């Protein structure tokens, strides 16, 4: 067993195998997970509860296709702030967090301050959003828009390679 940095939970190969399966399909029955990794279903259930309680499993959600729910336009926006005081940064974070069209928001180091991933129904909707989020704020210096032409790869799965307990580290022990 190995401890993950930032976590008091120790993971072994069984935990990593469970996480890999759940990342592919979170609705996989526990008995199928148990069969795949050679544990009992109750043991798998206990491990899943422990992974949830520790926060390693952060949420159980359904992933929606944006185009099929009327939000086919994905836009990446780099946002530069006029001033970078902690209160102003927190204010920007709060505004981006509150906006439902913002699917992802990253406060980053480098040439820009924030990178946003948005999904909107149309360019007209995006224009209205720019007025609300960017032009209405006197702390937004500039923003650069990148319209996604093709969703080549999207996902939520994290690589488990190198995670303590992964097969690159060790094999599950019974």
């Amino acid at each position: 067993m190995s401890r993950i940095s930032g976590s008091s939970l120790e993971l072994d190969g069984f935990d990593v195998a469970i996480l890999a399966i759940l990342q592919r399909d979170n609705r996989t029955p526990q008995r199928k997970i148990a069969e795949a990794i050679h544990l009992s279903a109750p043991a798998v259930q206990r491990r899943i509860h422990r992974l949830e309680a520790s926060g390693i499993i952060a949420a159980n959600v359904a992933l929606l296709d944006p185009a099929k729910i009327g939000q086919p336009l994905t836009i990446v926006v780099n946002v530069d702030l006029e001033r970078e005081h902690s209160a102003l940064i927190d204010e920007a974070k709060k505004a981006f967090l509150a906006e439902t069209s913002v699917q992802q928001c990253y406060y980053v180091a480098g040439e820009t301050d924030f990178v946003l991933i948005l999904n909107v129904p149309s360019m007209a909707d995006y224009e209205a959003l720019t007025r609300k989020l960017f032009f209405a704020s006197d702390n937004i210096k500039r923003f650069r828009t990148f319209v996604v032409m093709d969703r080549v790869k999207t996902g939520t799965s994290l690589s488990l390679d190198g995670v303590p307990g992964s097969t690159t580290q060790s094999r599950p022990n019974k």
Side-chain angles (χ1 to χ4, degrees):
M1 281 202 215
S2 298
R3 202 174 295 277
I4 293 182
S5 68
S7 172
S8 61
L9 184 64
E10 292 185 358
L11 296 183
D12 63 16
F14 290 117
D15 295 320
V16 173
I18 290 168
L19 292 171
I21 292 168
L22 292 177
Q23 282 195 116
R24 283 191 303 276
D25 182 0
N26 194 28
R27 293 179 5 153
T28 303
Q30 291 176 3
R31 71 176 163 67
K32 284 195 172 203
I33 296 171
E35 290 170 9
I37 66 170
H38 309 292
L39 277 181
S40 69
V44 168
Q45 182 181 32
R46 282 191 302 274
R47 286 171 179 267
I48 290 172
H49 287 304
R50 187 174 50 104
L51 292 164
E52 290 172 338
S54 72
I56 290 175
I57 296 177
N60 293 294
V61 299
L63 299 178
L64 308 180
D65 182 330
K68 291 182 179 176
I69 61 165
Q71 298 177 25
L73 196 56
T74 301
I75 298 175
V76 179
V77 184
N78 290 353
V79 179
D80 299 337
L81 300 180
E82 189 70 48
R83 296 169 309 283
E84 293 188 58
H85 300 292
S86 62
L88 295 172
I89 292 168
D90 290 344
E91 184 179 302
K93 288 179 181 179
K94 185 177 176 181
F96 300 149
L97 187 60
E99 179 51 54
T100 59
S101 294
V102 176
Q103 296 301 296
Q104 299 174 50
C105 173
Y106 301 96
Y107 176 52
V108 299
E111 293 185 29
T112 195
D113 296 308
F114 287 93
V115 176
L116 307 178
I117 311 294
L118 313 171
N119 278 94
V120 293
S122 68
M123 282 305 288
D125 292 292
Y126 177 60
E127 180 185 7
L129 188 60
T130 63
R131 291 175 186 274
K132 176 182 170 185
L133 281 182
F134 310 135
F135 292 121
S137 172
D138 59 358
N139 196 38
I140 302 294
K141 182 177 185 177
R142 83 175 60 85
F143 64 95
R144 287 174 295 289
T145 300
F146 304 90
V147 177
V148 173
M149 294 178 13
D150 186 14
R151 292 171 51 124
V152 177
K153 180 180 180 182
T154 61
T156 59
S157 294
L158 298 174
S159 172
L160 295 172
D161 293 342
V163 170
S166 71
T167 56
T168 58
Q169 294 283 321
S170 64
R171 299 216 176 269
N173 300 318
K174 285 193 177 181

